[in-house]
């Protein structure tokens, strides 16, 4: 078995596409950021200018502040009861 490369086949793979066959409309359209109003790609999850997420679905899940506060208060109350109770 020969492991030699076929140079002619490699040249065909590495050539740039024919400019007549390239569609210049392949780039994503630009939309306005709902937060800052600047133009961004419609495929972007976050605005490259202000950093905000474009939609609620793209934003990471955040814990509500009151759930975190309630958990901490319950933890402190439990420790107080255990040590002084």
């Amino acid at each position: 078995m020969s492991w030699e490369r076929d140079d002619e086949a490699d040249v065909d793979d590495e050539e740039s596409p024919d400019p007549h066959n390239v569609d210049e409309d392949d780039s994503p359209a630009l939309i306005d950021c709902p937060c800052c109003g600047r133009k961004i790609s419609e495929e972007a999850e976050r605005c490259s200018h202000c950093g905000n997420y474009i939609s609620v679905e793209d934003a990471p899940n955040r814990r509500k502040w009151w759930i975190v506060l309630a958990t901490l208060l319950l933890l402190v109350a439990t420790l107080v009861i255990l040590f002084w109770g």
Side-chain angles (χ1 to χ4, degrees), residues 64-77:
K64 304 234 185 284
W65 65 270
W66 56 269
I67 293 175
V68 174
L69 181 63
T71 304
L72 289 174
L73 289 175
L74 285 173
L75 180 62
V76 169

Side-chain angles (χ1 to χ4, degrees), residues 7-55:
D7 291 334
E8 290 179 23
D10 289 342
V11 171
D12 291 338
D13 292 341
E14 294 176 5
E15 285 184 19
S16 60
D18 183 14
H20 295 90
N21 294 334
V22 174
D23 185 12
E24 294 192 20
D25 291 340
D26 286 343
S27 61
L30 296 178
I31 60 171
D32 293 330
C33 172
C35 300
C36 68
R38 296 177 77 179
K39 297 287 184 189
I40 57 172
S41 169
E42 71 178 352
E43 296 177 355
E45 290 184 13
R46 295 180 76 171
C47 176
S48 58
H49 305 289
C50 66
N52 289 317
Y53 285 91
I54 305 306
S55 67

